[in-house]
Amino acid sequence: MNTDFLPLKELPGVVSRVVSETEAMDIHTHLYDPAFGDLLLWGLDDLLVYHYLVAEAFRYFDFPHDEFFSLSKSQQAERIWDALFVRNSPISEACRGVLTTLNALGLDPRKQDLASLRNWFAGQDPRDYVGRCMELAKVKSICMTNSPFDDLERPVWEKGFERDPRFTAALSIDPLLREWESCWKQLSDWGYIDSADLNEATFSGIRRFLSDWTEKMDARFLMVSLPPTFRYPDESVCVRIIREAILPHCREAGLPFALMPGVKRGVNPLLRMAGDGLAKCDMESFERLFAEFPQNKFLLTALSSENQHELCVAARKFNNLHVFGCWWFTNIPSIIEEMSRMRLELIGMSVTLQHSDARVMDQVIYKWGHSRRVIAKVLTEKYEDLNRAGWGVTEEEIRRDAGQLMGGAYEAFCAK
Ligand code: FIX
Ligand code: ZN
């Protein structure tokens, strides 16, 4: 073990090596344990029809949305490839991501056409391929987003399967909080509640439902994405269920509740899954929630870049809050850099700088690869500043810090 303080000029090299070698915990993705079969997306066509790229391709497409969505997956992939990679330089973050991924896999889209690239993917065994992607991304665990309300996913949980220990679960409850008018019927069909009335019997039925699914999934936290209009306190259905069912259940199970505010669903419904937008959320509402429930633990990532400063300040006030990731529209190098710097400056090492939000297995390669470069850049700057203040750092300390920022701080928070 080298315990010498590193000279200023060696910091960039050591920090980027350590950050690129540190195994990360990916605490929010839309990936699945391979036991879920086709629900785990991977390969060229899924990389190309990613909803980020669909939205970008429509900047150039001159045909109707429905025409695009009526095409097969591989035809859609071809249209996207043509618009975003052939006719225009693929500079956007999501486009660059496809190229970083192919490059890391040893493929060359400048020399191979889509058919030959597809051929290469067709020869991969999905289980081995998961290992290869995780190895290239240096990711040691992947947290899924799991919904009992998903008709494709639920039967797999109900039947039971042998868990891949690298994949952990998070219990996602969006319909419960956002579509109560239709959701209560399901809970009633499953025998948890008798009516849509929000009375003590209903709350207790919801708690029983949460407890059964937490156990079935071995969930690490509960989670919800929320619109920018969310307010606390409030007598909305959403808030009442949070107060009377979610938070008591989380306290009892000792699990955090992950809040993901700022998403405006279906801003352009013609774009289907690619049609969601964002707006600034009301951070003061969340502060009131953290203050009123000190026995609950909250994870929070906000979608609007405008919320990031007040979020860091909230984390200085509430140690039952853990800030994580650069979510979705903030997951671009310029904003990751700004957010990471701000977080380190305001809350030090008590943060999880990134998650991938990958929907396609291969994406972990680029999402982590790109983020690590930015994280290394910002961390280097911070260690250089410390060095100038007379505080040398060792490689061992840098390794400890990188581990903390990419999963260790989250684990410590959950264990608290
Ligand atoms: O709500 C979420 O977890 C979002 O991340 C997704 O719904 C979104 O579609 C996405 O894939 C963002 O990266
Ligand atoms: Zn997500």
Side-chain angles (χ1 to χ4, degrees):
M1 189 199 309
N2 190 347
T3 53
D4 294 341
F5 297 141
L6 292 158
L8 199 57
K9 65 175 189 344
E10 283 182 26
L11 281 170
V14 175
V15 174
S16 71
R17 176 167 50 76
V18 169
V19 169
S20 68
E21 285 169 0
T22 301
E23 297 217 299
M25 294 176 72
D26 198 344
I27 70 168
H28 172 60
T29 76
H30 298 270
L31 301 172
Y32 287 93
D33 182 314
F36 284 80
D38 290 345
L39 286 183
L40 172 63
L41 304 178
W42 61 280
L44 185 67
D45 287 330
D46 280 305
L47 282 172
L48 287 174
V49 301
Y50 187 35
H51 66 81
Y52 291 28
L53 292 176
V54 171
E56 289 173 30
F58 268 100
R59 305 290 308 146
Y60 306 109
F61 286 167
D62 59 0
F63 46 85
H65 294 78
D66 282 347
E67 186 179 321
F68 174 78
F69 289 113
S70 69
L71 299 173
S72 69
K73 190 195 281 183
S74 54
Q75 287 170 328
Q76 290 181 3
E78 278 151 25
R79 297 277 181 109
I80 289 177
W81 180 259
D82 182 60
L84 295 181
F85 294 80
V86 179
R87 291 177 189 276
N88 294 283
S89 282
I91 281 177
S92 79
E93 175 61 8
C95 286
R96 177 171 74 117
V98 174
L99 302 176
T100 299
T101 303
L102 296 177
N103 189 257
L105 292 165
L107 302 168
D108 184 352
R110 281 292 206 192
K111 297 212 180 98
Q112 297 163 272
D113 61 10
L114 291 190
S116 107
L117 294 171
R118 267 191 198 114
N119 236 348
W120 182 87
F121 282 97
Q124 307 303 310
D125 170 77
R127 282 186 187 265
D128 296 344
Y129 192 64
V130 166
R132 173 121 190 245
C133 291
M134 291 181 76
E135 178 53 39
L136 285 168
K138 285 266 172 290
V139 163
K140 62 179 170 190
S141 68
I142 289 180
C143 190
M144 308 178 270
T145 296
N146 302 107
S147 172
F149 300 103
D150 184 310
D151 293 336
L152 297 174
E153 185 179 336
R154 189 177 57 254
V156 183
W157 290 110
E158 279 169 341
K159 186 158 172 268
F161 60 94
E162 198 180 324
R163 295 284 294 263
D164 180 326
R166 295 169 300 183
F167 286 76
T168 56
L171 173 52
S172 163
I173 49 162
D174 284 28
L176 183 62
L177 294 180
R178 301 176 59 174
E179 295 153 30
W180 178 245
E181 313 74 50
S182 52
C183 181
W184 78 269
K185 190 76 189 66
Q186 254 178 319
L187 291 189
S188 149
D189 290 347
W190 295 332
Y192 287 103
I193 60 176
D194 295 326
S195 80
D197 295 346
L198 290 178
N199 51 35
E200 190 35 47
T202 304
F203 291 133
S204 139
I206 299 175
R207 289 195 295 268
R208 213 155 37 79
F209 163 77
L210 296 173
S211 159
D212 285 355
W213 279 95
T214 296
E215 196 182 330
K216 204 185 289 291
M217 292 174 171
D218 186 20
R220 302 303 161 92
F221 53 86
L222 277 75
M223 61 186 293
V224 68
S225 66
L226 292 167
T229 49
F230 176 84
R231 291 291 180 277
Y232 188 87
D234 193 31
E235 279 313 304
S236 64
V237 169
C238 171
V239 165
R240 291 172 66 195
I241 296 179
I242 289 179
R243 204 178 48 214
E244 306 296 336
I246 314 290
L247 295 180
H249 166 69
C250 286
R251 286 196 295 274
E252 194 183 305
L255 297 181
F257 183 30
L259 302 159
M260 303 176 70
V263 54
K264 276 169 54 178
R265 298 283 178 199
V267 167
N268 183 358
L270 291 176
L271 277 171
R272 302 193 183 179
M273 195 183 193
D276 299 341
L278 71 80
K280 189 175 186 291
C281 71
D282 181 46
M283 199 55 73
E284 289 175 77
S285 284
F286 294 101
E287 287 174 350
R288 289 191 282 270
L289 199 61
F290 307 145
E292 199 172 313
F293 297 97
Q295 305 303 330
N296 276 96
K297 290 189 264 193
F298 298 91
L299 302 167
L300 200 149
T301 192
L303 195 49
S304 169
S305 66
E306 288 177 85
N307 282 125
Q308 304 306 327
H309 188 228
E310 51 191 342
L311 174 58
C312 288
V313 174
R316 295 172 67 90
K317 310 297 147 192
F318 299 102
N319 70 0
N320 57 339
L321 163 64
H322 184 81
V323 174
F324 75 98
C326 300
W327 180 25
W328 198 347
F329 304 114
T330 63
N331 201 0
I332 52 173
S334 55
I335 300 187
I336 299 172
E337 184 169 333
E338 180 182 279
M339 281 170 62
S340 302
R341 192 174 283 123
M342 191 192 289
R343 287 165 169 188
L344 292 173
E345 289 168 1
L346 280 165
I347 49 177
M349 298 293 148
S350 64
V351 59
T352 300
L353 287 182
Q354 195 52 301
H355 68 264
S356 78
D357 232 312
R359 278 186 180 268
V360 184
M361 190 64 228
D362 330 44
Q363 288 172 341
V364 293
I365 300 172
Y366 92 80
K367 297 215 185 212
W368 281 101
H370 292 186
S371 290
R372 283 176 201 271
R373 278 192 63 174
V374 181
I375 292 170
K377 180 179 174 199
V378 175
L379 264 182
T380 299
E381 203 182 283
K382 294 297 156 203
Y383 292 127
E384 285 171 348
D385 288 346
L386 285 183
N387 185 291
R388 283 188 276 266
W391 185 272
V393 291
T394 67
E395 178 166 339
E396 206 50 37
E397 285 168 335
I398 296 173
R399 210 168 279 287
R400 174 199 63 194
D401 295 349
Q404 220 165 317
L405 295 168
M406 291 195 274
Y410 158 79
E411 277 191 302
F413 176 78
C414 293
K416 259 211 295 219

